[in-house]
Amino acid sequence: MPSAVDTLVRRANYWVDEANLGYDQSNRWDIRDHGTCDCSSLAYWVAWESNLAQRPVDYRSRTLYTGTIARDLVLAGWSRLAPTIMALRPGDYLLSENHHVAICVFGAGWGATLA
């Protein structure tokens, strides 16, 4: 049985490589095949899909963005680590709060692929 991290990586790859999601901050929760999202809504979505965080019922009306993702994931049991590219592994999130979040989906360290 795949781990929750394996599921997170698989779902991130699906949304990026197969679902053909577009980028739209004004319609960021339209996560479906050919829908739209932004970086933080997708990062939240795959954490919820893989049961690594609980999706709030009111997620569409709450302010959820790169500035809240670290707090929410730590509350869900994730660990916040010092940014060290060499330690990067699939399933890790790279976060520049208030700017961007990416998910490591393949490889490690400087050879990692991000979604």
Side-chain angles (χ1 to χ4, degrees), residues 12-33:
N13 278 318
Y14 169 77
W15 289 116
V16 170
D17 294 338
E18 297 177 40
N20 199 26
L21 281 174
Y23 182 86
D24 186 347
Q25 285 188 326
S26 64
N27 195 25
R28 59 197 295 265
W29 295 111
D30 186 24
I31 301 176
R32 59 180 176 82
D33 286 11

Side-chain angles (χ1 to χ4, degrees), residues 39-78:
C39 64
S40 58
S41 64
L42 183 60
Y44 270 109
W45 194 265
V46 297
W48 299 334
E49 282 188 315
S50 57
N51 294 315
L52 288 168
Q54 182 111 27
R55 179 172 41 199
V57 175
D58 60 346
Y59 72 93
R60 289 179 186 267
S61 62
R62 286 185 54 202
T63 303
L64 301 173
Y65 69 108
T66 54
T68 60
I69 198 167
R71 176 204 68 209
D72 292 343
L73 294 180
V74 167
L75 287 172
W78 292 44

Side-chain angles (χ1 to χ4, degrees), residues 65-113:
Y65 69 108
T66 54
T68 60
I69 198 167
R71 176 204 68 209
D72 292 343
L73 294 180
V74 167
L75 287 172
W78 292 44
S79 296
R80 184 158 189 174
L81 306 173
T84 306
I85 295 298
M86 291 309 296
L88 188 62
R89 299 289 178 264
D92 288 347
Y93 282 31
L94 273 78
L95 177 63
S96 173
E97 288 178 280
N98 300 315
H99 297 288
H100 188 59
V101 60
I103 304 166
C104 178
V105 293
F106 181 78
W110 288 104
T113 301

